[in-house]
Amino acid sequence: MGSIVIKLKPSDLKNPDLDLRYVIPDKISELTNNKITDDGYDYLDDEDTTMAIFLKSDKPNEDIKMVLEILKSELFLDNNLYATSKVAICENNNYELSEYILAHPL
């Protein structure tokens, strides 16, 4: 089991609603027929109070393509997350962000 993380900086969002931590994984799970599922969230200890939304995936290197397509085509609470988020993958289900490889933007 691997992991995909979506990092959101509140100052980059049109609507920095905290409900994004639920809306994003629910929508991605729905649109992927539960192939990619919710794995929690955390706030990074940085100056921006970045939110990290974790998603479980059996094949993160493949499933990242679906996640990016969803972020391109959907608005989440009036936010274009494709333009404002950083998305990274990890081959194991790890919450240590230093283990993740940036997939978007490149």
Side-chain angles (χ1 to χ4, degrees):
M1 182 68 61
S3 185
I4 298 169
V5 66
I6 300 171
K7 296 194 296 185
L8 305 171
K9 200 164 78 169
S11 61
D12 290 343
L13 301 173
K14 179 179 177 182
N15 178 16
D17 190 318
L18 294 178
D19 283 346
L20 286 166
R21 65 186 184 253
Y22 305 118
V23 171
I24 294 168
D26 288 351
K27 187 66 162 181
I28 289 173
S29 182
E30 173 191 333
L31 293 174
T32 63
N33 295 315
N34 293 317
K35 186 174 182 180
I36 303 168
T37 58
D38 187 5
D39 198 23
Y41 67 93
D42 199 1
Y43 294 96
L44 306 185
D45 189 20
D46 62 9
E47 63 188 40
D48 300 309
T49 316
T50 301
M51 182 190 309
I53 298 170
F54 296 92
L55 303 166
K56 282 190 267 190
S57 164
D58 286 332
K59 299 177 182 174
N61 283 318
E62 293 175 25
D63 293 343
I64 188 69
K65 295 171 191 158
M66 284 189 290
V67 170
L68 292 175
E69 283 303 315
I70 291 168
L71 295 181
K72 271 186 200 177
S73 63
E74 299 286 326
L75 287 179
F76 294 84
L77 302 178
D78 295 325
N79 293 293
N80 176 345
L81 299 184
Y82 188 78
T84 58
S85 66
K86 291 185 179 178
V87 185
I89 58 174
C90 184
E91 282 300 316
N92 57 47
N93 198 12
N94 192 335
Y95 295 109
E96 183 59 48
L97 289 176
S98 64
E99 299 291 319
Y100 283 74
I101 299 169
L102 185 66
H104 173 78
L106 292 177

